[in-house]
């Protein structure tokens, strides 16, 4: 309405326009009667050749369904100065559009950024065209765009803010631009239809909750450039079947793969030193897991409720098995514990109802020196075997390796 007012030959700011809308007071008559009111925005709209009710006018103000590339491609969008480079764009009055075209130029300067929360909650948006001038996508820029099915990000994009595609429920795939170096926290949080994500070489970090709740995610290959996977980055990715952790990652953080119930194969590289709290909790599809000798700490509840695990060989060099680390692994029948272990947390093996053989790499004397090795760990004496490289003369529970597998003497 302000633009129409200007086109009618008026001049002034939006504040001037608002004052004008109120109408100029008329002259008082002898009895103090109020003068004629000025024209309303609706009346101006009608005089401009439009037809319809006041409700039609209000809908028109919101922006009509269609695309944003009417006129010069900027109708309904809002633009903000972005440093000296150009402009950042925001959704403005385009919330009812199914398709939006972001222009590359506005007022002679490049459009270089999508503003924080620019299209947040635009649940009618199905498609958006982003030009090659864009280098930055702001925080939560497309959060809650529940109808957005696909989006092509140009290679010009070098940064994507936290939560940029948070809860885009229909988004099925994404290719991260090749100049990106990090996936920020919550970027694809609960994108429940996301099946594939392509991460380019050069990305070094996957942020906290980055893919949490992407329950349809089946395939994601991380490049060797990745050095850190943050807490709960892939938690509740129930469709994920296999995963290779890049060789430069040194720790598996809190809940990184928690409740990935479809996960059947995980490759942990030599160089990882710790497996964090609830890292693999509820990964019921895992039937075995190879833990490298570099791991020294297995965190609290790290493998809790991994009911598919049948046997585990803990690595030489492991020193600390923390509270409830393997609790409720109801399918676990045997486990090898090396003599390097110095502490076993309370309830580390509680409710492992099928566990019948615990192969310890040292002697009974050494076992008794381990902090927490008593019944509080969930282990009982009748399932313990002591290592002996040669067949012992004395009776008792002893074991050795046969073709690389533990076996009782």
């Amino acid at each position: 309405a302000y633009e129409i007012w200007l086109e009618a030959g008026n001049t002034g700011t939006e504040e001037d326009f608002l004052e004008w809308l109120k109408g100029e007071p008329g002259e008082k008559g002898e009895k103090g009667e109020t003068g004629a009111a000025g024209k309303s925005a609706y009346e101006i709209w009608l005089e401009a050749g439009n037809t319809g009710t006041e409700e039609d006018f209000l809908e028109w103000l919101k922006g009509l369904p269609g695309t944003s590339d009417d006129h010069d491609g900027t109708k309904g969008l809002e633009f903000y100065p972005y440093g000296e480079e150009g402009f950042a764009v925001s959704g403005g009055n385009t919330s009812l559009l199914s398709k939006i075209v972001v222009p590359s130029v506005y007022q002679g300067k490049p459009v270089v950024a999508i503003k924080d929360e620019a299209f947040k909650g635009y649940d009618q948006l199905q498609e958006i065209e982003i030009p090659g001038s864009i280098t930055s996508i702001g925080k939560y820029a497309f959060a809650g765009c529940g109808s957005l099915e696909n989006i092509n990000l140009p290679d010009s994009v070098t940064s994507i803010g936290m939560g940029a595609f948070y809860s885009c429920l229909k988004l099925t795939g994404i290719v991260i631009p090749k100049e990106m170096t990090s996936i920020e926290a919550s970027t694809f949080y609960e994108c429940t239809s996301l099946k594939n994500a392509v991460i380019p070489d050069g990305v070094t970090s996957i942020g906290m909750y980055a893919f949490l709740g992407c329950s349809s995610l089946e395939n994601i290959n991380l490049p060797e450039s990745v050095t850190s996977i943050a807490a709960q980055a892939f938690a509740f990715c129930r469709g994920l079947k296999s995963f290779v952790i890049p060789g430069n990652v040194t720790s598996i953080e809190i809940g990184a793969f928690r409740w990935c119930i479809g996960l059947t194969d995980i490759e942990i590289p030599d160089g990882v030193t710790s497996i964090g709290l609830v890292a693999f909790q509820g990964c019921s599809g895992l039937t075995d897991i190879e833990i490298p000798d570099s791991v020294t700490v297995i965190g609290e509840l790290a493998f809790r409720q991994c009911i598919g695990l049948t046997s585990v060989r803990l690595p030489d060099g492991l020193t600390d098995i923390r509270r409830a680390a393997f609790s409720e692994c109801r399918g676990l029948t045997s486990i090898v514990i090396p003599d390097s272990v110095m502490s076993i947390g309370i309830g580390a093996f509680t409710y492992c109802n099928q566990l019948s053989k615990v192969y310890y790499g040292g002697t009974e004397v050494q076992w008794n020196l381990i902090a927490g090795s008593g019944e509080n760990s969930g282990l009982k004496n009748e399932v313990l075997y002591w290592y002996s490289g040669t067949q012992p003369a004395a009776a008792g529970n002893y074991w050795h390796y046969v073709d690389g597998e533990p076996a009782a003497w």
Side-chain angles (χ1 to χ4, degrees):
Y2 172 60
E3 292 172 337
I4 295 170
W5 183 70
L6 291 175
E7 289 175 359
N10 298 287
T11 58
T13 65
E14 290 189 11
E15 288 75 13
D16 296 329
F17 169 62
L18 293 173
E19 288 297 320
W20 179 84
L21 280 178
K22 295 176 183 178
E24 295 293 331
E27 295 180 3
K28 284 188 177 182
E30 293 179 0
K31 296 183 180 180
E33 296 172 345
T34 304
K39 293 179 182 178
S40 69
Y42 171 59
E43 291 171 330
I44 295 170
W45 182 72
L46 291 174
E47 288 181 357
N50 297 289
T51 59
T53 65
E54 290 190 8
E55 287 75 16
D56 296 328
F57 168 63
L58 292 173
E59 287 299 316
W60 178 86
L61 281 177
K62 294 176 183 176
L64 295 174
T67 67
S68 69
D69 55 353
D70 299 324
H71 302 291
D72 64 349
T74 65
K75 184 178 180 180
L77 296 173
E78 294 178 351
F79 297 85
Y80 302 84
Y82 193 80
E84 297 180 358
E85 304 172 31
F87 287 94
V89 64
S90 187
N93 291 326
T94 62
S95 62
L96 297 180
L97 303 185
S98 61
K99 178 182 177 181
I100 292 174
V101 178
V102 175
S104 60
V105 176
Y106 178 73
Q107 292 186 351
K109 290 186 177 181
V111 179
V112 295
I114 296 176
K115 198 172 180 290
D116 290 354
E117 303 186 6
F119 300 96
K120 182 179 179 181
Y122 283 31
D123 58 7
Q124 301 298 311
L125 182 62
Q126 298 177 17
E127 183 182 354
I128 185 165
E129 293 184 14
I130 299 176
S133 59
I134 297 292
T135 61
S136 174
I137 296 175
K139 297 176 183 177
Y140 298 98
F142 297 97
C145 290
S147 299
L148 186 64
E149 297 180 6
N150 59 74
I151 187 167
N152 294 318
L153 303 179
D155 283 336
S156 56
V157 173
T158 59
S159 69
I160 298 175
M162 176 175 67
F165 298 96
Y166 187 107
S167 198
C168 288
L169 301 180
K170 291 188 177 180
L171 189 66
T172 58
I174 194 75
V175 177
I176 302 298
K178 62 184 180 180
E179 298 299 322
M180 292 280 297
T181 59
S182 66
I183 309 297
E184 297 298 325
S186 303
T187 300
F188 299 100
Y189 186 103
E190 289 193 348
C191 291
T192 54
S193 297
L194 188 68
K195 291 185 176 180
N196 297 289
V198 178
I199 313 294
D201 189 36
V203 169
T204 60
S205 63
I206 309 295
M208 186 182 295
Y209 313 131
F211 293 91
L212 185 146
C214 294
S215 54
S216 298
L217 188 64
E218 297 174 353
N219 180 41
I220 185 167
N221 296 317
L222 299 187
E224 285 299 309
S225 55
V226 171
T227 60
S228 67
I229 300 173
Q232 304 208 66
F234 295 96
F236 299 94
C237 290
R238 300 178 188 275
L240 197 62
K241 293 177 173 60
S242 64
F243 197 94
V244 178
I245 297 175
N248 292 316
V249 173
T250 58
S251 65
I252 300 174
E253 298 296 334
I254 295 172
F257 299 94
R258 186 183 187 189
W259 291 104
C260 291
I261 60 176
L263 189 65
T264 59
D265 183 35
I266 182 85
E267 292 187 25
I268 302 174
D270 190 35
V272 169
T273 60
S274 64
I275 297 175
L277 173 74
V278 299
F280 295 98
Q281 181 186 14
C283 292
S284 55
L286 285 177
T287 56
D288 62 77
I289 188 166
E290 186 173 336
I291 302 173
D293 288 341
S294 54
V295 172
T296 60
V297 177
I298 296 178
E300 295 183 8
L301 303 112
F303 293 95
R304 183 182 182 226
Q305 296 172 319
C306 290
I307 59 176
L309 282 178
T310 57
S311 63
V312 173
R313 180 177 175 180
L314 299 179
D316 294 335
L318 182 69
T319 61
D320 193 358
I321 303 170
R322 295 190 176 168
R323 182 179 65 87
F326 292 91
S327 64
E328 300 182 57
C329 290
R330 300 183 187 277
L332 192 63
T333 59
S334 67
I335 189 167
V336 177
I337 299 177
D339 61 1
S340 57
V341 169
M342 300 174 65
S343 175
I344 299 176
I346 293 174
F349 300 95
T350 53
Y351 303 109
C352 295
N353 300 335
Q354 303 299 315
L355 187 59
S356 60
K357 295 178 180 179
V358 176
Y359 300 107
Y360 176 59
T363 67
E364 185 174 2
V365 173
Q366 289 174 292
W367 176 262
N368 290 330
L369 293 174
I370 296 174
S373 62
E375 289 194 9
N376 283 341
S377 67
L379 298 174
K380 297 180 175 60
N381 290 333
E382 62 265 31
V383 300
L384 290 169
Y385 289 77
W386 322 115
Y387 180 76
S388 177
T390 59
Q391 186 167 3
N397 295 335
Y398 296 95
W399 72 282
H400 64 137
Y401 282 109
V402 176
D403 297 328
E405 296 296 325
W409 280 109

